């Protein structure tokens, strides 16, 4: 679990930081707009802030030559530290791979229960929740017991097999996945039986593969759809100080062998064409792309020059979704099915909001203090 916790904490921390940065930028823009209405005059507070910022950041080029040499020596040590950190993350990856093998028998049993291949024993189904017991009053307990007796004496009804629509329900519960889901995807995802993650073998470039296992269906012939995420865990030679651990740098999907007329990633449209010379009109049909979860298996590729911001945003979103499947959905699937994991995620977001509110109050207090300054000073 060490590896999972390490990456999960880093992702949650990154999200927390990004949320705070966005909030701070928004507040800064609001301040600038308010100041703009009153002219471009720089306030005393602004001047003090600029001066203090300059004082905090030393001008290395202005340092004595002997001191600069020592600073450069420290930078070389920092690069060495980054390379050791990269080795650390490589070992974390190996640890994840090792423990993935220990988790797999549990996940295999989960798949058997979900698909209905195995019926859990009474002992395996025992679950005691103090909260649920407290909510259930005594009269309701008696009523439930009577209903249970009636059910036992009634002729057996057709019980559903396994846990119907287990993964589809998870998709609908998680906003990030629900946004990708279209109505025409739902009948297909009812056939999804399991999602697995596999880590790259020792000696191979760092990566992980998501496997989506489907029962036979009328939509495509594949039994497994895959998405490979390639990772980099070494300092960039051009910018070694930016290294903060493994990052996803590319991904590859797979070809879906759709049955005729079943491809939900495209739609057929009819178009009228008029002949320029004769003036006759004909109707043609053509296929055009449409939104679908299954576009997930046909990812875009990064632009060579890295200058397309929309493309970069699409890739970053894809990488985040892949990481979320690996770190959250697969290990905690039942809790996303019941919604309990969603409550945990919301609690974390609420904590971030509370911290943000405190920052707001602090900044408001600072603004009031600035208002007391003599503008002529």
């Amino acid at each position: 679990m060490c590896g999972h916790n390490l990456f999960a904490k880093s992702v949650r921390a990154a999200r927390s930081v990004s949320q705070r940065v966005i909030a701070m930028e928004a507040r800064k823009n609001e301040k600038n707009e308010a100041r703009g209405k009153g002219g471009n005059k720089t306030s005393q507070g602004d001047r003090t802030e600029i001066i203090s910022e300059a004082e905090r950041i030393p001008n290395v080029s202005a340092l004595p030559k002997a001191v600069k040499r020592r600073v450069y020596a420290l930078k070389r040590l920092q690069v060495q530290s980054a390379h050791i950190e990269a080795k650390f993350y490589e070992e974390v990856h190996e640890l994840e791979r090792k423990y993935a093998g220990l988790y797999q028998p549990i996940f295999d049993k989960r798949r058997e229960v979900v698909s209905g291949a195995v019926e859990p024993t009474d002992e395996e189904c025992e679950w005691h929740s103090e909260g649920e017991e407290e909510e259930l009053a005594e009269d309701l307990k008696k009523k439930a017991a009577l209903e249970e007796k009636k059910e036992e004496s009634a002729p057996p009804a057709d019980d559903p097999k396994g846990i119907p629509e287990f993964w589809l329900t998870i998709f609908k519960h998680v906003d990030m996945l629900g946004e990708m889901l279209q109505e025409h995807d739902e009948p297909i995802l009812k056939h999804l039986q399991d999602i697995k993650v596999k880590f790259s073998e020792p000696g191979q470039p760092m990566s992980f593969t998501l496997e989506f296992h489907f029962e036979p269906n009328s939509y495509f012939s594949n039994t497994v759809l895959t998405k490979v995420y390639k990772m980099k865990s070494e300092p960039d030679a051009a910018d070694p100080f930016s290294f903060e651990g493994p990052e996803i740098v590319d991904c590859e999907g797979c070809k879906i062998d759709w049955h005729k007329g079943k491809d939900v990633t495209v739609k057929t449209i009819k178009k009228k064409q008029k002949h320029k010379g004769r003036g006759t009109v004909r109707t043609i049909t053509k296929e055009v792309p449409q939104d679908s979860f299954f576009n997930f298996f046909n990812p875009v590729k990064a632009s060579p020059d890295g200058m397309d911001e929309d493309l970069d945003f699409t890739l970053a979103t894809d990488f985040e979704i892949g990481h979320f499947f690996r770190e959250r959905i697969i290990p905690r699937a039942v809790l996303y099915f019941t919604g309990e994991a969603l409550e945990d995620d919301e609690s974390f977001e609420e904590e971030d909001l509370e911290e943000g509110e405190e920052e707001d109050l602090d900044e408001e207090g600072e603004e009031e203090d600035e208002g007391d300054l003599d503008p002529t000073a």
Side-chain angles (χ1 to χ4, degrees), residues 340-353:
E340 292 164 89
L342 299 172
E343 293 172 5
D344 291 343
D345 292 345
E346 286 169 3
S347 297
F348 179 78
E349 288 172 6
E350 284 172 8
E351 288 174 10
D352 287 342
L353 288 172

Side-chain angles (χ1 to χ4, degrees), residues 42 91 113 166 193 201 256 306 323 366 376:
T42 304
E91 292 195 21
V113 172
F166 179 78
Q193 293 188 314
E201 294 296 323
I256 302 178
H323 194 90
E366 289 172 7
T376 60

Side-chain angles (χ1 to χ4, degrees), residues 284-300:
I284 62 166
T285 59
K286 61 182 293 188
E287 287 187 341
V288 294
Q290 72 171 348
D291 291 338
S292 167
F293 164 73
F294 291 91
N295 289 322
F296 179 70
F297 299 98
N298 184 27
V300 296

Side-chain angles (χ1 to χ4, degrees), residues 21-91:
V21 168
I22 291 168
M24 289 173 68
E25 286 296 325
R27 290 195 293 271
K28 192 183 292 182
N29 290 338
E30 288 174 2
K31 285 184 182 179
N32 291 338
E33 287 176 7
R35 287 169 183 152
K37 291 176 183 177
N40 295 324
K41 185 187 288 186
T42 304
S43 69
Q44 178 71 33
D46 287 341
R47 288 198 297 272
T48 305
E49 187 177 338
I50 292 168
I51 294 169
S52 61
E53 183 72 19
E55 289 174 348
R56 284 198 300 269
I57 302 173
N59 184 359
V60 176
S61 61
L63 293 173
K65 185 176 179 181
V67 176
K68 276 195 290 187
R69 288 180 71 258
R70 294 165 197 145
V71 170
Y72 296 148
L74 294 184
K75 282 191 169 185
R76 288 177 63 89
L77 292 175
Q78 188 64 42
V79 172
Q80 292 176 32
S81 175
H83 283 283
I84 292 173
E85 187 180 4
K87 291 290 182 186
F88 164 75
Y89 283 115
E90 286 176 11
E91 292 195 21

